[in-house]
Amino acid sequence: MKVLVINCGSSSLKYQLFDMVNEAVLAKGLVERIGLEGSVLNHSKGKEKHVIKEEINDHEKAISLVINAITSPEYGAIKSVEELSAIGHRVVHGGEDFSGSVLITEEVVESLRRNSELAPLHNPPNIMGIKACQKILPEIKQMGVFDTAFHQTIPEEAYLYGIPYEYYQKYKIRKYGFHGTSHKYVSQRAAAMLKLTEGKSRIITCHLGNGSSIAAVKNGKSIDTSMGFTPLEGIVMGTRPGDLDPSIICYLMEKENWGIKEINNMLNKKCGVLGLSGVSSDFRDIEKSAVEDGNKRSQIALDRFAYAVKKYIGSYAAILNGADAIVFTAGLGENSASMRLKICEGLDYLGVKIDKDKNFTRGVEADVSADDAATRVLVIPTNEELMIARDTYEIFKSGKTKL
Ligand code: AMP
């Protein structure tokens, strides 16, 4: 009843080993600098930490080190891989092919390859992780849990862009949305915390981290989300601009004499609060620079960010016909009391009233609203790994091929 969760990036690999009897994390770790000089595996079991420095040329080697670490007699958490029920992989883009988690088959891998065009930076390393596990542990079932799946319930009127329909048919250009596992987890927790009646819940989930997105969740289903065809759309982020007039792109390319590569680089790495403040993409640095140094551009970056979140909350309250709860999660949402307060200021029309003392919390589940607030404001630490483990175990137990 043990499940290993794997999240593969191009040069990194995160893992967590769960005991599904009580959903406890038995061990976890991170492999960094795969294929680069100075590759390392940082493994932890409870408070014990182990650093394994070795040449790690590819994902296959990374996976074999992870297996060695979790089965190590010295610092492992299981005796052998036979204790593993299944392995769950985080997969970024399932396109329109997957509306839930699946058992990975050759057909699924083929579909992930097709969808790589939509997520060229993310899907290929996800596939590498899957292939490496299949090679090293061929007898263990592998499941895929998609970032996009939760948003597959978004209706056509919300996911279509106002461009010729043929481009949707030809290239599948539409809103997909991301952070789905996180939005699903926190919306489910919110419904449980508030004891909302099934089939009668309106929740706005704000995943605010380095990448940020907001979702409107009605009766447990995503009906809209701020990220779009790619994770560039939506609110202003750490280094991405969020919504912008598309003609700015053509205008800048012409003025700066840029090609696709240059404009893509700017949009992904130089915009957002980093571009506005000129200080950092990390909200801690920006808050510090605004408060301690009185840096005006840092203050504008924070104001612009809060404004963008507030606007999305308003538009999602409109499509949900009100809201039972607004949830804050991820690095900034879970930790920054001042940003939560700033976003929620002036939302009295929606019945939002933050209790400043309760709001002084970080990283734990809390209802930070005043007792008489009609719309509750909740802080819920996200747990994407646990969601992946749950889906993986559910498929394993039920013998189904998809959820
Ligand atoms: P994530 O992408 O969820 O890991 O979130 C990372 C972001 O959370 C960082 O860029 C920080 O800006 C932000 N963050 C984390 N802790 C704090 C904090 N205590 N106060 C403000 N921002 C924070």
Side-chain angles (χ1 to χ4, degrees):
M1 289 180 203
K2 314 284 189 320
V3 166
L4 179 64
V5 172
I6 287 182
N7 181 356
C8 259
S10 56
S11 64
S12 69
L13 187 158
K14 278 192 237 166
Y15 63 94
Q16 281 196 23
L17 177 67
F18 286 88
D19 185 342
M20 297 315 290
V21 172
N22 53 3
E23 298 188 334
V25 176
L26 301 175
K28 61 181 175 180
L30 170 67
V31 187
E32 285 178 290
R33 302 186 61 81
I34 300 172
L36 303 167
E37 218 173 286
S39 42
V40 61
L41 188 164
N42 284 295
H43 173 83
S44 62
K45 181 187 165 195
K47 288 202 172 102
E48 289 171 44
K49 296 202 183 330
H50 294 271
V51 180
I52 298 144
K53 285 192 178 148
E54 223 177 284
E55 201 173 304
I56 309 173
N57 286 328
D58 52 27
H59 288 76
E60 211 176 297
K61 174 78 182 180
I63 298 277
S64 64
L65 286 181
V66 169
I67 300 299
N68 288 347
I70 62 171
T71 55
S72 156
E74 198 189 328
Y75 46 78
I78 50 175
K79 286 203 179 74
S80 88
V81 288
E82 274 157 36
E83 286 183 51
L84 282 181
S85 298
I87 299 178
H89 294 266
R90 177 195 179 206
V91 182
V92 168
H93 218 308
E96 287 189 321
D97 297 341
F98 304 103
S99 55
S101 305
V102 292
L103 171 74
I104 295 174
T105 59
E106 268 320 296
E107 222 181 331
V108 169
V109 174
E110 208 29 63
S111 161
L112 298 184
R113 286 210 180 96
R114 272 199 313 276
N115 285 309
S116 285
E117 264 192 24
L118 300 171
L121 299 179
H122 295 99
N123 273 26
N126 297 158
I127 297 169
M128 278 194 270
I130 292 167
K131 289 272 132 209
C133 285
Q134 282 178 333
K135 193 161 171 198
I136 297 169
L137 302 165
E139 69 287 359
I140 293 179
K141 287 200 162 76
Q142 326 243 350
M143 323 304 180
V145 180
F146 304 90
D147 259 27
T148 47
F150 183 56
H151 299 303
Q152 278 295 300
T153 44
I154 292 176
E156 212 173 13
E157 72 213 36
Y159 73 63
L160 283 178
Y161 290 105
I163 59 174
Y165 194 75
E166 67 187 87
Y167 299 127
Y168 166 59
Q169 292 173 308
K170 228 166 142 178
Y171 304 121
K172 294 278 170 226
I173 296 178
R174 52 160 284 176
K175 179 186 281 289
Y176 289 100
F178 299 88
H179 294 141
T181 313
S182 174
H183 289 294
K184 187 175 175 183
Y185 176 78
V186 298
S187 58
Q188 284 183 352
R189 283 297 309 140
M193 277 167 81
L194 298 176
K195 300 190 172 56
L196 296 174
T197 326
E198 214 169 294
K200 265 194 173 175
S201 66
R202 302 159 304 169
I203 301 171
I204 299 171
T205 47
C206 307
H207 179 110
L208 309 181
N210 201 9
S212 297
S213 68
I214 310 205
V217 184
K218 188 176 182 182
N219 306 332
K221 292 194 164 58
S222 171
I223 60 161
D224 204 351
T225 190
S226 58
M227 281 180 170
F229 179 57
T230 72
L232 275 185
E233 194 186 346
I235 56 176
V236 174
M237 299 175 221
T239 61
R240 290 170 249 165
D243 301 332
L244 87 170
D245 181 341
S247 53
I248 294 170
I249 295 171
C250 309
Y251 189 82
L252 261 177
M253 285 174 87
E254 200 175 18
K255 286 281 177 200
E256 296 282 324
N257 207 10
W258 282 345
I260 302 273
K261 207 170 140 199
E262 287 82 7
I263 191 76
N264 246 329
N265 187 46
M266 188 207 73
L267 291 170
N268 281 289
K269 301 201 171 135
K270 298 193 174 161
C271 293
V273 289
L274 168 68
L276 285 169
S277 69
V279 168
S280 170
S281 63
D282 192 306
F283 283 86
R284 283 165 291 199
D285 300 339
I286 304 172
E287 282 180 358
K288 191 163 171 268
S289 132
V291 175
E292 291 177 17
D293 312 331
N295 184 321
K296 286 214 168 75
R297 272 178 56 187
S298 292
Q299 190 57 55
I300 283 174
L302 296 173
D303 293 349
R304 181 66 185 82
F305 178 84
Y307 180 77
V309 177
K310 193 192 290 260
K311 257 180 38 168
Y312 265 100
I313 289 175
S315 65
Y316 288 170
I319 61 165
L320 287 167
N321 194 11
D324 299 304
I326 298 172
V327 182
F328 288 99
T329 193
L332 180 68
E334 289 166 27
N335 292 298
S336 178
S338 60
M339 185 52 81
R340 289 193 296 263
L341 195 61
K342 199 175 178 60
I343 292 166
C344 290
E345 253 164 22
L347 292 183
D348 346 7
Y349 76 95
L350 197 56
V352 170
K353 216 192 273 181
I354 283 205
D355 179 316
K356 286 189 183 159
D357 292 331
K358 289 188 200 160
N359 187 39
F360 205 66
T361 178
R362 86 167 24 164
V364 286
E365 282 187 356
D367 183 335
V368 299
S369 346
D371 291 342
D372 61 341
T375 294
R376 312 307 297 177
V377 175
L378 307 177
V379 176
I380 303 180
T382 194
N383 197 339
E384 291 161 280
E385 290 78 13
L386 177 59
M387 277 311 265
I388 296 172
R390 279 183 185 162
D391 274 13
T392 300
Y393 193 57
E394 175 78 31
I395 295 176
F396 171 79
K397 247 187 352 189
S398 64
K400 291 183 192 160
T401 55
K402 61 181 179 181
L403 292 182

